[in-house]
Amino acid sequence: MRQSDPAQRVRIVNIRDNIIARIAEAEREGWLGEVEGLQTSLAGANEKLSQIDRRAPRTVDLPMPPPSTTNPRSQMSVAGERVRP
């Protein structure tokens, strides 16, 4: 199955909302076959949204580590000269 593009999420939400409205109309009108087909389409739209949400990048806030005394770069001056302790 082809992966859904995260940039298309808003479009898929709009499609899903339209399908929900069409299901309500079909139920009011008694179009039972139409309801069944639309429920299948709704399941597909919901699955695409789930795929996008699972693939969404997650950010992790990592604190900065303290300066290391074993790192030779941490013992250099701004000009690149070694600093004597």
Side-chain angles (χ1 to χ4, degrees):
M1 178 188 263
R2 186 167 175 245
Q3 294 291 329
S4 299
D5 181 7
Q8 296 295 319
R9 189 177 198 294
V10 173
R11 182 177 151 272
I12 296 170
V13 167
N14 289 335
I15 290 169
R16 183 204 53 198
D17 293 346
N18 181 270
I19 293 170
I20 291 170
R22 290 173 58 199
I23 289 172
E25 177 187 12
E27 287 173 340
R28 275 192 318 271
E29 299 296 328
W31 302 332
L32 301 180
E34 187 73 10
V35 170
E36 188 176 325
L38 289 168
Q39 287 173 339
T40 301
S41 297
L42 180 60
N46 284 331
E47 178 58 31
K48 284 183 182 272
L49 288 171
S50 294
Q51 285 176 5
I52 290 171
D53 291 343
R54 282 192 303 266
R55 291 182 59 217
R58 292 175 175 81
T59 58
V60 177
D61 187 22
L62 298 175
M64 290 294 294
S68 172
T69 57
T70 59
N71 183 353
R73 288 180 173 229
S74 68
Q75 298 176 2
M76 296 206 167
S77 70
V78 175
E81 303 164 349
R82 281 193 94 49
V83 176
R84 295 179 189 234

